[in-house]
Amino acid sequence: MKKFQKSEAFTGLEAAIVLIAFVVVAAVFSYVVLGAGFFTTQKSQEVVYKGVQQATSNIVINGEVYGDAEGTADVNSGPHGIHTILFSIQLAAGGTPVDLNRTVLTYQNRSVLQNLDFASNIYKPGVQPSNYQWCIVSTQNDDGDTALERNEKFTIQANLSMGSSSLPAGEEFTLTIKPDVGAALPLVKTAPGGITVMNILT
């Protein structure tokens, strides 16, 4: 009788099992690679968004910047220096709310580099901030807090002097507004050559 030898070849079932194993491994590997790709893309988007957010100022100036020389007048020569400045701010288009209580104002001229303190208790017209202080003197469309939000406008008054000192005629200065979120907004202005009680700074 003819003797049958045991075959070493794959049967159809064994081949199917191996094929399925390869497909499963490939699917898992593809899922891991895709997941890592999505995660990397998401992180890249977050980095770009944060970069744009930090590089763009959330605050813009609304209108003119005024220099107040009241209180620096001599009987003979009249006002001789800028004492405080006033300006209005609002959110930039698409900007995120800015808490003014966490915002820093820095004043600099040829001889002074000074952070101004926030006098948060002053919140009405007619009350001026003390030396090297700033405050909110009026608001529009606000909800009663110090956060600058959409459609709100705050008028800021900043005292640039210490004691009898004031900003003289023709001198340039920089007032930098540094919110807790977003880029700083520098105001570079020059006192006019002929100072009156109220001046538009250019």
Side-chain angles (χ1 to χ4, degrees):
M1 293 181 61
K2 195 172 181 179
K3 195 171 182 180
F4 290 97
Q5 293 183 344
K6 186 177 179 181
S7 175
E8 297 295 334
F10 278 171
T11 64
L13 180 60
E14 290 172 332
I17 292 173
V18 172
L19 180 61
I20 290 172
F22 275 116
V23 170
V24 170
V25 171
V28 171
F29 180 73
S30 300
Y31 176 79
V32 171
V33 171
L34 287 175
F38 288 141
F39 178 78
T40 303
T41 302
Q42 183 180 11
K43 286 299 180 182
S44 300
Q45 289 175 342
E46 290 178 4
V47 170
V48 171
Y49 176 76
K50 289 292 184 182
V52 171
Q53 189 179 44
Q54 291 298 325
T56 306
S57 178
N58 289 322
I59 298 176
V60 294
I61 302 297
N62 182 278
E64 302 286 355
V65 177
Y66 297 92
D68 185 1
E70 187 177 3
T72 68
D74 294 330
V75 174
N76 298 323
S77 60
H80 58 80
I82 301 297
H83 180 62
T84 65
I85 64 170
L86 292 100
F87 55 93
S88 295
I89 58 175
Q90 64 186 34
L91 283 185
T96 56
V98 174
D99 187 359
L100 295 187
N101 197 34
R102 300 172 62 185
T103 298
V104 177
L105 267 64
T106 302
Y107 167 62
Q108 182 176 7
N109 63 16
R110 289 184 299 178
S111 57
V112 174
L113 177 60
Q114 178 71 42
N115 284 341
L116 307 184
D117 295 324
F118 180 41
S120 57
N121 58 318
I122 302 174
Y123 207 85
K124 56 185 179 181
V127 180
Q128 291 195 351
S130 301
N131 298 331
Y132 291 144
Q133 286 189 338
W134 67 279
C135 65
I136 304 167
V137 292
S138 66
T139 60
Q140 292 182 21
N141 304 321
D142 73 300
D143 53 8
D145 57 21
T146 59
L148 181 62
E149 298 167 324
R150 185 182 178 188
N151 297 325
E152 294 183 346
K153 184 168 73 172
F154 288 3
T155 299
I156 304 299
Q157 185 172 22
N159 189 323
L160 306 182
S161 63
M162 174 62 76
S164 60
S165 66
S166 57
L167 187 72
E171 182 161 330
E172 184 180 272
F173 72 93
T174 302
L175 185 72
T176 305
I177 306 170
K178 303 175 183 176
D180 59 333
V181 175
L185 175 65
L187 293 180
V188 181
K189 299 293 179 180
T190 303
I195 294 179
T196 60
V197 173
M198 186 61 69
N199 310 266
I200 296 179
L201 304 181
T202 58

